Amino acid sequence: MEYNFTEIEKKWQERWVEQKTYKVAENKDKTKYYVLNMFPYPSGAGLHVGHPLGYIASDIYARYKRLKGFNVLNPMGYDAYGLPAEQYAIQTGQHPAITTEKNIARYREQLNKIGFCFDWDREVRTCDPKYYRWTQWAFQKMFNSCYDNCKQKAVPIAELIRHFEEEGTLNLNVAQGEEKMFSARDWLSMNEKEQQQILMNYRIAYLGETMVNWCPGLGTVLANDEVVNGVSERGGFPVVQKKMKQWCLRVSAYAQRLLDGLDKVQWSDSMKETQRNWIGRSEGTEVEFKSLTPLPIKNGTESEMEEGHFTIFTTRADTMFGVTFMVLAPESELVGKLTAIDRKKEVEEYLAYVKKRTELDRMSDRKVTGVFTGSYGINPFTGEKLPIWISEYVLSGYGTGAIMAVPAHDSRDYAFAKHFNLPIIPLIEGADVSEESFDAKEGTVINSPVKETEGCFSLNGLSVKEAIAATKKYVTDKGIGRVKVNYRLRDAIFSRQRYWGEPFPVYYKEGMPYMIPEECLPLELPEIDQFKPTETGEPPLGRAKVWAWDETNKQLTDKNCIDNKSVFPLELNTMPGFAGSSAYYLRYMDPHNEEALVGKNADEYWQNVDLYVGGTEHATGHLIYSRFWNKFLYDYGYSCKEEPFEKLVNQGMIQGRSNFVYRINNDDHSKAPVFVSRGLKNQYETTPIHVDVNLVHGDVLDIEAFKAWRPEYKHAEFILKTDKYVCGWAVEKMSKSMFNVVNPDVIIEQYGADTLRLYEMFLGPVEASKPWDTNGIDGCHRFLKKFWKLYQQELSNDEASKESLKSVHKLIKKVSGDIELFSYNTAISAFMICVNELGQQKCDNRALLRSLLILIAPFAPHIAEELWEKIGEKGSVCDAKWPVCNEAYLAESEVQLTVSFNGKARFQMTFPADTDKEAIEKAAVNDERSQKYIAGKTIVKVIVVPKKIVNIVCK
Ligand code: ANZ
């Protein structure tokens, strides 16, 4: 019988659905294993062959684990909120829900064809109110919590209120925005609004004034990567830095735990390193400096100085003697306080310039800009007067937003000093303070202990580390500084001025936010007539009519009813893309639970994700946010594991293999275009043109299909070297514009899903990026045909031959080991070798061929099921038991030894593997070939090294 993959695959895909083959439930008798893919955003373009790479890799692992006796959870869903559907809605008026629904249907159809073992009953969609109810719920919990630094966990805000009532801010150690101080009496005398304002400073979800990339043209805040050279990536509208009230999540409070958790998970070193850098722990010192600011000139002669003080953060306290100036971040509050009257104009001009620059520009640009404030700082060690400047290289969100500049030891300070002609004091005599030395060191600091200075203390002879420690102690003892750990990790901005996202379950009373009661969740996204901002610049939800909260009746009501007494306005922002993806892995455990995000039983059974597969591009977004979100839920016992993803595998990218045709240059466009084949292209002046790879097979152009592709090619002419038109090729990003997108549907139609699955894995290691090359797919398809053929014979129950036993057991060992290492390409090679061997051996042994089916089932599940049924097995091959390798079959039956004389190798002999040393010795000595080497000599001794050599020593 022919291998009719189309029929077979359809049959089994239907059977799996009918028999609910992939449905899973908690089963205490089995050990759980949770496999998860980063769920896709269902884009309009559908899947290309690059997308399923990770899904196939995890599917193989999930199926393998099931065969190994685990109870495997392998769910799938959609990250369904997002910008593209909304942009499309703005352009066409089509509701994003409709676009999304359509795209999901298409994704589902494509996914189904590949034969994944997803339990579709557990599907989640982030835009489904039943799902986002729990996103809103978690947000409310965060609003009602603060972070206790002593307990190192989230606690209810009620505990904080109790603390304020009893002690005010005394003995308070809670993560906070600004540092505030008040007594219990102060607290009790505040009115409701004042108290709410204070609490906002501590909540884990809080409304904060933050600097954002504001794009007035689009009416929204943009993420850093959506801004290019000061304008929006889409539309090119100007973007300015603006302080705006936004919902924020206090991710920074979890910085240390996010860092510590990395030691406990199995992720690649590079992934962990990226997260560590993103979190950016830095241990340093905060040091107080006095400031002197000139006041307006008195009597036209001299100016008076006003005294103040400010704090800087440094990691190199040991360089205090090398400070020659100070720098403030342009956004620092100190700018207002320390700018002298006569410098005001210049400072303001400078601030206006900085406003146009994003933080990203500021960090990546090496441009040196700045302005002098007119004020001075006083070095607490030397009493020296140091000019205070403002410059964009100092960031407001880091440390204290003010630095002491040590140009001899820091390249940014150095560049600044050079540019503005400020002094540079090397701390060791003869230190190389030249531009070249900084270029060579690229921002690293010169390690040098500070010099001894009279009256202070001596750091001579200390290492930098010791010098820093000594300075820290000194400033702490003197009360002019303190040890400080800083993190680069910022709180996450959680508001978007967009329609297609989760609404905040929040209403406003006297300008302060209140949560709608938990039992009223979800607060559903309202319908609006258009998807853009309102004419008055409010976010799109400003268009919703029934969008006010009736506090008394606990329900939504018309906006016209707002009286700010019992009916209040609702929040108009929506949540960002990462909201819905932050806890979806928990929901899959218990997707239909109406009482909880995840019920206790399900959570305790599934615990966390054992294997997470997805792209590296989520290193600093999703993988930080979801770890934070999970830790928060863990603090309250809603999630039983602190780390959500035990093992992470990052699949590589599949690049496209583009094809080109070579058009002969010709200015006369009225003539039909002429194309030359690759082999002739150098004989003409040509322009390479991308051609749709679907019109090319093995680099040979389907000329008729090409002519039909575009009207302008209808009458195209071709100059050929042979009888075929051969195209050129290149490896590029897989993208529509390069016409190199390969649709899995097309491959499946031609070769079947099993071939597609095998081939994607055969391309190379899962983690590596590699080009898609349709030319190689035939090999995998031929292999499956050969595999199929093995079963088109009468199977025998007789004992198997030794060779066949060896072939199959070798394969069991190899495939089991390779799957554990995600080395699927080598496993597939081993399959190919084994099937060849079995073919040559004319193997018809039922037991061995049965094992072979189980082994291939994770890779090519359809063919495995079909043949499983054919050989008379009941049920699905998914429920079989993974075969165990019997090492005894692997033993070699014969060994080859090299026979040497006085250490010189002369010839080879073959023995049965179990021949003893004595017999080998005898046989070697007595071999005919030995006589000429022994002739006339006496054998002194014979050394036999088992499995290797026999050395005959003679004199
Ligand atoms: C003096 C000094 C001397 C510094 C020296 C460095 C080298 P990390 O390790 O990243 O924490 N700094 C402090 N706050 C800053 C801000 N808001 N924007 C830009 N730079 C800031 O870096 C800490 C160092 O970066 C601090 O130590 C400070 O410069 C600078 F040879 O102080 B240092």
Side-chain angles (χ1 to χ4, degrees), residues 835-882:
V835 166
N836 278 341
E837 288 175 356
L838 294 178
Q840 281 158 12
Q841 296 155 7
K842 305 218 170 353
C843 174
D844 61 356
N845 181 271
R846 174 181 304 275
L848 287 184
L849 291 178
R850 181 183 183 276
S851 293
L852 186 64
L853 282 181
I854 304 171
L855 293 178
I856 201 119
F859 297 87
H862 308 87
I863 196 172
E865 290 277 31
E866 179 69 14
L867 295 173
W868 187 252
E869 189 183 61
K870 184 167 186 301
I871 65 168
E873 294 287 341
K874 297 272 167 300
S876 164
V877 67
C878 296
D879 294 316
K881 241 175 95 184
W882 189 255

CSV table of all heavy atoms in Angstrom, one decimal, residues 835-882:
chain,number,residue,atom,x,y,z
A,835,VAL,N,16.6,2.7,10.1
A,835,VAL,CA,15.6,2.2,9.1
A,835,VAL,C,16.3,1.6,7.9
A,835,VAL,O,15.9,0.5,7.4
A,835,VAL,CB,14.6,3.3,8.7
A,835,VAL,CG1,13.8,2.9,7.4
A,835,VAL,CG2,13.7,3.6,9.8
A,836,ASN,N,17.4,2.2,7.5
A,836,ASN,CA,18.3,1.6,6.5
A,836,ASN,C,18.8,0.2,6.9
A,836,ASN,O,18.7,-0.8,6.1
A,836,ASN,CB,19.5,2.5,6.1
A,836,ASN,CG,19.1,3.6,5.2
A,836,ASN,OD1,18.0,3.5,4.5
A,836,ASN,ND2,19.9,4.6,5.2
A,837,GLU,N,19.3,0.1,8.1
A,837,GLU,CA,19.8,-1.2,8.6
A,837,GLU,C,18.7,-2.2,8.6
A,837,GLU,O,18.9,-3.3,8.1
A,837,GLU,CB,20.4,-1.0,10.0
A,837,GLU,CG,21.7,-0.2,10.0
A,837,GLU,CD,22.3,0.1,11.4
A,837,GLU,OE1,21.6,-0.3,12.4
A,837,GLU,OE2,23.4,0.6,11.5
A,838,LEU,N,17.5,-1.8,9.1
A,838,LEU,CA,16.5,-2.8,9.2
A,838,LEU,C,16.0,-3.3,7.9
A,838,LEU,O,15.7,-4.5,7.7
A,838,LEU,CB,15.3,-2.2,10.0
A,838,LEU,CG,15.5,-1.9,11.5
A,838,LEU,CD1,14.3,-1.3,12.1
A,838,LEU,CD2,15.9,-3.2,12.3
A,839,GLY,N,16.1,-2.4,6.9
A,839,GLY,CA,15.7,-2.7,5.5
A,839,GLY,C,16.7,-3.7,5.0
A,839,GLY,O,16.3,-4.8,4.4
A,840,GLN,N,18.0,-3.5,5.2
A,840,GLN,CA,19.0,-4.4,4.7
A,840,GLN,C,18.9,-5.8,5.4
A,840,GLN,O,19.1,-6.8,4.8
A,840,GLN,CB,20.4,-3.8,4.9
A,840,GLN,CG,20.8,-2.8,3.9
A,840,GLN,CD,21.9,-1.9,4.5
A,840,GLN,OE1,22.5,-2.1,5.5
A,840,GLN,NE2,22.1,-0.7,3.8
A,841,GLN,N,18.5,-5.7,6.7
A,841,GLN,CA,18.4,-7.0,7.4
A,841,GLN,C,17.1,-7.7,7.1
A,841,GLN,O,16.9,-8.8,7.6
A,841,GLN,CB,18.5,-6.7,8.9
A,841,GLN,CG,19.8,-6.1,9.4
A,841,GLN,CD,19.6,-5.3,10.7
A,841,GLN,OE1,18.6,-5.3,11.3
A,841,GLN,NE2,20.7,-4.6,11.1
A,842,LYS,N,16.3,-7.1,6.3
A,842,LYS,CA,15.0,-7.6,6.0
A,842,LYS,C,14.2,-7.9,7.3
A,842,LYS,O,13.6,-9.0,7.4
A,842,LYS,CB,15.1,-8.9,5.1
A,842,LYS,CG,15.9,-8.7,3.8
A,842,LYS,CD,15.2,-9.5,2.7
A,842,LYS,CE,15.8,-9.2,1.3
A,842,LYS,NZ,16.7,-8.1,1.1
A,843,CYS,N,14.3,-7.0,8.2
A,843,CYS,CA,13.7,-7.2,9.5
A,843,CYS,C,12.2,-7.2,9.4
A,843,CYS,O,11.6,-6.3,8.8
A,843,CYS,CB,14.1,-6.1,10.5
A,843,CYS,SG,13.3,-6.2,12.1
A,844,ASP,N,11.6,-8.3,10.0
A,844,ASP,CA,10.1,-8.3,10.0
A,844,ASP,C,9.6,-8.7,11.4
A,844,ASP,O,8.5,-9.1,11.6
A,844,ASP,CB,9.6,-9.4,9.0
A,844,ASP,CG,10.1,-10.8,9.3
A,844,ASP,OD1,10.9,-10.9,10.3
A,844,ASP,OD2,9.7,-11.7,8.6
A,845,ASN,N,10.5,-8.4,12.3
A,845,ASN,CA,10.1,-8.8,13.7
A,845,ASN,C,9.1,-7.8,14.3
A,845,ASN,O,9.3,-6.6,14.4
A,845,ASN,CB,11.4,-8.8,14.5
A,845,ASN,CG,11.1,-9.2,16.0
A,845,ASN,OD1,10.8,-8.4,16.8
A,845,ASN,ND2,11.2,-10.5,16.2
A,846,ARG,N,8.0,-8.4,14.8
A,846,ARG,CA,6.9,-7.5,15.3
A,846,ARG,C,7.3,-6.7,16.5
A,846,ARG,O,7.1,-5.5,16.5
A,846,ARG,CB,5.7,-8.4,15.6
A,846,ARG,CG,4.5,-7.7,16.3
A,846,ARG,CD,3.4,-8.6,16.7
A,846,ARG,NE,3.0,-9.3,15.5
A,846,ARG,CZ,2.1,-8.8,14.6
A,846,ARG,NH1,1.5,-7.7,14.8
A,846,ARG,NH2,1.7,-9.5,13.6
A,847,ALA,N,7.9,-7.4,17.4
A,847,ALA,CA,8.3,-6.6,18.7
A,847,ALA,C,9.2,-5.5,18.4
A,847,ALA,O,9.0,-4.4,18.9
A,847,ALA,CB,8.9,-7.6,19.7
A,848,LEU,N,10.2,-5.7,17.5
A,848,LEU,CA,11.1,-4.6,17.3
A,848,LEU,C,10.4,-3.4,16.5
A,848,LEU,O,10.6,-2.3,16.8
A,848,LEU,CB,12.3,-5.1,16.5
A,848,LEU,CG,13.3,-5.9,17.3
A,848,LEU,CD1,14.5,-6.3,16.4
A,848,LEU,CD2,13.8,-5.2,18.5
A,849,LEU,N,9.6,-3.8,15.5
A,849,LEU,CA,9.0,-2.8,14.7
A,849,LEU,C,7.9,-2.0,15.5
A,849,LEU,O,7.7,-0.9,15.3
A,849,LEU,CB,8.4,-3.4,13.4
A,849,LEU,CG,9.4,-3.9,12.4
A,849,LEU,CD1,8.8,-4.6,11.2
A,849,LEU,CD2,10.3,-2.8,11.9
A,850,ARG,N,7.4,-2.7,16.5
A,850,ARG,CA,6.5,-2.1,17.4
A,850,ARG,C,7.2,-1.0,18.2
A,850,ARG,O,6.7,0.1,18.3
A,850,ARG,CB,5.9,-3.2,18.3
A,850,ARG,CG,4.8,-2.6,19.3
A,850,ARG,CD,4.4,-3.7,20.2
A,850,ARG,NE,3.4,-3.3,21.1
A,850,ARG,CZ,3.6,-2.7,22.3
A,850,ARG,NH1,4.9,-2.4,22.6
A,850,ARG,NH2,2.7,-2.2,23.1
A,851,SER,N,8.4,-1.4,18.7
A,851,SER,CA,9.2,-0.4,19.5
A,851,SER,C,9.5,0.8,18.6
A,851,SER,O,9.5,2.0,19.1
A,851,SER,CB,10.5,-1.0,20.0
A,851,SER,OG,10.2,-2.0,20.9
A,852,LEU,N,9.8,0.5,17.4
A,852,LEU,CA,10.2,1.6,16.5
A,852,LEU,C,9.1,2.6,16.3
A,852,LEU,O,9.3,3.8,16.2
A,852,LEU,CB,10.6,0.9,15.1
A,852,LEU,CG,11.2,1.9,14.1
A,852,LEU,CD1,12.5,2.5,14.5
A,852,LEU,CD2,11.4,1.2,12.7
A,853,LEU,N,7.9,2.1,16.3
A,853,LEU,CA,6.7,3.0,16.1
A,853,LEU,C,6.6,3.9,17.3
A,853,LEU,O,6.2,5.1,17.2
A,853,LEU,CB,5.4,2.1,16.0
A,853,LEU,CG,5.2,1.5,14.6
A,853,LEU,CD1,3.8,0.8,14.6
A,853,LEU,CD2,5.1,2.6,13.5
A,854,ILE,N,6.8,3.3,18.5
A,854,ILE,CA,6.7,4.2,19.7
A,854,ILE,C,7.8,5.3,19.7
A,854,ILE,O,7.5,6.4,20.0
A,854,ILE,CB,6.8,3.3,21.0
A,854,ILE,CG1,5.8,2.2,21.0
A,854,ILE,CG2,6.7,4.2,22.2
A,854,ILE,CD1,5.9,1.2,22.1
A,855,LEU,N,9.0,4.9,19.2
A,855,LEU,CA,10.1,5.8,19.1
A,855,LEU,C,9.8,7.0,18.2
A,855,LEU,O,10.1,8.1,18.4
A,855,LEU,CB,11.4,5.2,18.7
A,855,LEU,CG,12.0,4.1,19.7
A,855,LEU,CD1,13.2,3.5,19.0
A,855,LEU,CD2,12.3,4.8,21.0
A,856,ILE,N,9.1,6.7,17.1
A,856,ILE,CA,8.9,7.7,16.1
A,856,ILE,C,7.7,8.6,16.4
A,856,ILE,O,7.5,9.7,15.9
A,856,ILE,CB,8.8,7.2,14.6
A,856,ILE,CG1,9.1,8.3,13.6
A,856,ILE,CG2,7.5,6.6,14.3
A,856,ILE,CD1,10.3,8.0,12.8
A,857,ALA,N,6.8,8.0,17.3
A,857,ALA,CA,5.5,8.7,17.5
A,857,ALA,C,5.6,10.1,17.9
A,857,ALA,O,4.9,11.0,17.4
A,857,ALA,CB,4.7,7.9,18.5
A,858,PRO,N,6.6,10.5,18.7
A,858,PRO,CA,6.7,12.0,19.1
A,858,PRO,C,7.0,12.8,17.9
A,858,PRO,O,6.5,14.0,17.8
A,858,PRO,CB,7.8,12.1,20.1
A,858,PRO,CG,7.9,10.7,20.7
A,858,PRO,CD,7.6,9.8,19.5
A,859,PHE,N,7.8,12.3,16.9
A,859,PHE,CA,8.2,13.1,15.8
A,859,PHE,C,7.2,13.1,14.7
A,859,PHE,O,6.9,14.1,14.1
A,859,PHE,CB,9.5,12.5,15.2
A,859,PHE,CG,10.7,12.5,16.2
A,859,PHE,CD1,10.9,11.5,17.1
A,859,PHE,CD2,11.5,13.6,16.2
A,859,PHE,CE1,11.9,11.6,18.0
A,859,PHE,CE2,12.6,13.7,17.1
A,859,PHE,CZ,12.8,12.7,18.0
A,860,ALA,N,6.7,11.9,14.4
A,860,ALA,CA,5.7,11.8,13.3
A,860,ALA,C,4.5,11.0,13.8
A,860,ALA,O,4.3,9.8,13.5
A,860,ALA,CB,6.4,11.0,12.1
A,861,PRO,N,3.6,11.7,14.5
A,861,PRO,CA,2.5,11.0,15.2
A,861,PRO,C,1.5,10.4,14.3
A,861,PRO,O,0.9,9.3,14.6
A,861,PRO,CB,1.9,12.1,16.1
A,861,PRO,CG,2.3,13.4,15.4
A,861,PRO,CD,3.6,13.2,14.8
A,862,HIS,N,1.3,10.9,13.1
A,862,HIS,CA,0.2,10.4,12.2
A,862,HIS,C,0.6,9.0,11.7
A,862,HIS,O,-0.2,8.1,11.8
A,862,HIS,CB,-0.1,11.3,11.1
A,862,HIS,CG,-0.4,12.8,11.5
A,862,HIS,ND1,0.6,13.7,11.6
A,862,HIS,CD2,-1.6,13.4,11.8
A,862,HIS,CE1,0.1,14.8,12.0
A,862,HIS,NE2,-1.2,14.7,12.1
A,863,ILE,N,1.8,9.0,11.1
A,863,ILE,CA,2.2,7.7,10.5
A,863,ILE,C,2.3,6.6,11.6
A,863,ILE,O,2.0,5.5,11.4
A,863,ILE,CB,3.5,7.9,9.7
A,863,ILE,CG1,3.8,6.7,8.8
A,863,ILE,CG2,4.7,8.1,10.6
A,863,ILE,CD1,5.0,6.9,7.8
A,864,ALA,N,2.8,7.1,12.8
A,864,ALA,CA,2.9,6.1,13.9
A,864,ALA,C,1.6,5.5,14.3
A,864,ALA,O,1.4,4.3,14.5
A,864,ALA,CB,3.6,6.8,15.1
A,865,GLU,N,0.6,6.4,14.4
A,865,GLU,CA,-0.8,5.9,14.8
A,865,GLU,C,-1.3,4.9,13.7
A,865,GLU,O,-1.9,3.9,14.0
A,865,GLU,CB,-1.8,7.1,14.9
A,865,GLU,CG,-1.6,8.0,16.1
A,865,GLU,CD,-2.2,7.5,17.4
A,865,GLU,OE1,-2.3,6.3,17.6
A,865,GLU,OE2,-2.5,8.4,18.2
A,866,GLU,N,-1.2,5.3,12.5
A,866,GLU,CA,-1.7,4.5,11.4
A,866,GLU,C,-1.1,3.1,11.4
A,866,GLU,O,-1.8,2.1,11.3
A,866,GLU,CB,-1.4,5.2,10.0
A,866,GLU,CG,-1.9,4.4,8.8
A,866,GLU,CD,-3.4,4.4,8.7
A,866,GLU,OE1,-4.1,5.1,9.4
A,866,GLU,OE2,-3.9,3.6,7.9
A,867,LEU,N,0.2,3.0,11.5
A,867,LEU,CA,0.9,1.8,11.5
A,867,LEU,C,0.7,1.0,12.8
A,867,LEU,O,0.6,-0.3,12.8
A,867,LEU,CB,2.4,2.0,11.3
A,867,LEU,CG,2.8,2.5,9.9
A,867,LEU,CD1,4.2,2.9,9.8
A,867,LEU,CD2,2.3,1.6,8.8
A,868,TRP,N,0.5,1.7,13.9
A,868,TRP,CA,0.2,1.1,15.2
A,868,TRP,C,-1.1,0.3,15.0
A,868,TRP,O,-1.2,-0.9,15.4
A,868,TRP,CB,0.0,2.2,16.2
A,868,TRP,CG,-0.1,1.8,17.6
A,868,TRP,CD1,-1.3,1.9,18.4
A,868,TRP,CD2,0.9,1.3,18.5
A,868,TRP,NE1,-1.1,1.5,19.6
A,868,TRP,CE2,0.2,1.1,19.8
A,868,TRP,CE3,2.2,0.9,18.4
A,868,TRP,CZ2,0.9,0.5,20.9
A,868,TRP,CZ3,2.9,0.4,19.5
A,868,TRP,CH2,2.2,0.2,20.7
A,869,GLU,N,-2.1,0.9,14.4
A,869,GLU,CA,-3.4,0.3,14.1
A,869,GLU,C,-3.2,-0.9,13.2
A,869,GLU,O,-3.7,-2.0,13.4
A,869,GLU,CB,-4.3,1.3,13.5
A,869,GLU,CG,-5.8,0.8,13.5
A,869,GLU,CD,-6.7,1.8,12.8
A,869,GLU,OE1,-6.5,2.1,11.6
A,869,GLU,OE2,-7.6,2.2,13.5
A,870,LYS,N,-2.4,-0.7,12.2
A,870,LYS,CA,-2.2,-1.7,11.2
A,870,LYS,C,-1.5,-3.0,11.7
A,870,LYS,O,-1.9,-4.1,11.3
A,870,LYS,CB,-1.3,-1.2,10.0
A,870,LYS,CG,-1.1,-2.1,8.9
A,870,LYS,CD,-0.5,-1.4,7.7
A,870,LYS,CE,-0.4,-2.4,6.5
A,870,LYS,NZ,0.3,-3.6,6.7
A,871,ILE,N,-0.6,-2.8,12.7
A,871,ILE,CA,0.0,-4.0,13.2
A,871,ILE,C,-0.8,-4.7,14.3
A,871,ILE,O,-0.4,-5.6,15.0
A,871,ILE,CB,1.5,-3.8,13.8
A,871,ILE,CG1,1.5,-2.8,15.0
A,871,ILE,CG2,2.4,-3.3,12.7
A,871,ILE,CD1,2.8,-2.8,15.7
A,872,GLY,N,-2.0,-4.1,14.5
A,872,GLY,CA,-3.0,-4.8,15.3
A,872,GLY,C,-3.0,-4.3,16.8
A,872,GLY,O,-3.6,-5.0,17.6
A,873,GLU,N,-2.4,-3.2,17.0
A,873,GLU,CA,-2.4,-2.7,18.4
A,873,GLU,C,-3.7,-1.9,18.7
A,873,GLU,O,-4.3,-1.3,17.8
A,873,GLU,CB,-1.2,-1.7,18.6
A,873,GLU,CG,0.1,-2.4,18.6
A,873,GLU,CD,0.4,-3.3,19.8
A,873,GLU,OE1,-0.3,-3.1,20.8
A,873,GLU,OE2,1.3,-4.2,19.7
A,874,LYS,N,-4.2,-2.0,19.9
A,874,LYS,CA,-5.4,-1.3,20.3
A,874,LYS,C,-5.1,0.1,20.9
A,874,LYS,O,-4.0,0.2,21.5
A,874,LYS,CB,-6.2,-2.1,21.4
A,874,LYS,CG,-6.6,-3.5,20.9
A,874,LYS,CD,-8.0,-3.4,20.2
A,874,LYS,CE,-8.4,-4.6,19.4
A,874,LYS,NZ,-7.5,-5.0,18.3
A,875,GLY,N,-6.0,1.0,20.8
A,875,GLY,CA,-5.8,2.3,21.4
A,875,GLY,C,-4.8,3.1,20.6
A,875,GLY,O,-4.3,2.8,19.5
A,876,SER,N,-4.4,4.3,21.3
A,876,SER,CA,-3.5,5.2,20.6
A,876,SER,C,-2.0,4.9,21.0
A,876,SER,O,-1.8,4.5,22.1
A,876,SER,CB,-3.8,6.6,21.0
A,876,SER,OG,-2.7,7.5,20.7
A,877,VAL,N,-1.2,5.1,20.0
A,877,VAL,CA,0.3,4.9,20.3
A,877,VAL,C,0.8,5.8,21.4
A,877,VAL,O,1.7,5.6,22.1
A,877,VAL,CB,1.1,5.0,19.0
A,877,VAL,CG1,1.1,6.4,18.5
A,877,VAL,CG2,2.5,4.5,19.2
A,878,CYS,N,0.0,6.9,21.6
A,878,CYS,CA,0.3,7.9,22.6
A,878,CYS,C,0.4,7.3,24.0
A,878,CYS,O,1.0,7.8,24.9
A,878,CYS,CB,-0.7,9.0,22.7
A,878,CYS,SG,-0.7,10.0,21.2
A,879,ASP,N,-0.4,6.2,24.2
A,879,ASP,CA,-0.5,5.6,25.5
A,879,ASP,C,0.4,4.4,25.6
A,879,ASP,O,0.3,3.6,26.6
A,879,ASP,CB,-2.0,5.2,25.8
A,879,ASP,CG,-2.9,6.4,25.9
A,879,ASP,OD1,-2.4,7.4,26.5
A,879,ASP,OD2,-3.9,6.4,25.3
A,880,ALA,N,1.3,4.2,24.7
A,880,ALA,CA,2.2,3.0,24.8
A,880,ALA,C,3.3,3.4,25.8
A,880,ALA,O,3.3,4.5,26.4
A,880,ALA,CB,2.9,2.8,23.4
A,881,LYS,N,4.2,2.4,26.0
A,881,LYS,CA,5.3,2.7,27.0
A,881,LYS,C,6.6,2.9,26.2
A,881,LYS,O,6.9,2.1,25.4
A,881,LYS,CB,5.4,1.5,28.0
A,881,LYS,CG,5.1,1.9,29.4
A,881,LYS,CD,5.2,0.7,30.3
A,881,LYS,CE,6.6,0.5,30.9
A,881,LYS,NZ,6.7,-0.7,31.7
A,882,TRP,N,7.3,3.9,26.6
A,882,TRP,CA,8.6,4.1,25.9
A,882,TRP,C,9.5,2.9,26.1
A,882,TRP,O,9.7,2.5,27.2
A,882,TRP,CB,9.2,5.4,26.5
A,882,TRP,CG,10.4,5.9,25.7
A,882,TRP,CD1,11.7,5.8,26.1
A,882,TRP,CD2,10.4,6.6,24.5
A,882,TRP,NE1,12.5,6.4,25.2
A,882,TRP,CE2,11.7,6.9,24.2
A,882,TRP,CE3,9.4,7.0,23.6
A,882,TRP,CZ2,12.1,7.6,23.0
A,882,TRP,CZ3,9.8,7.7,22.5
A,882,TRP,CH2,11.1,8.0,22.2
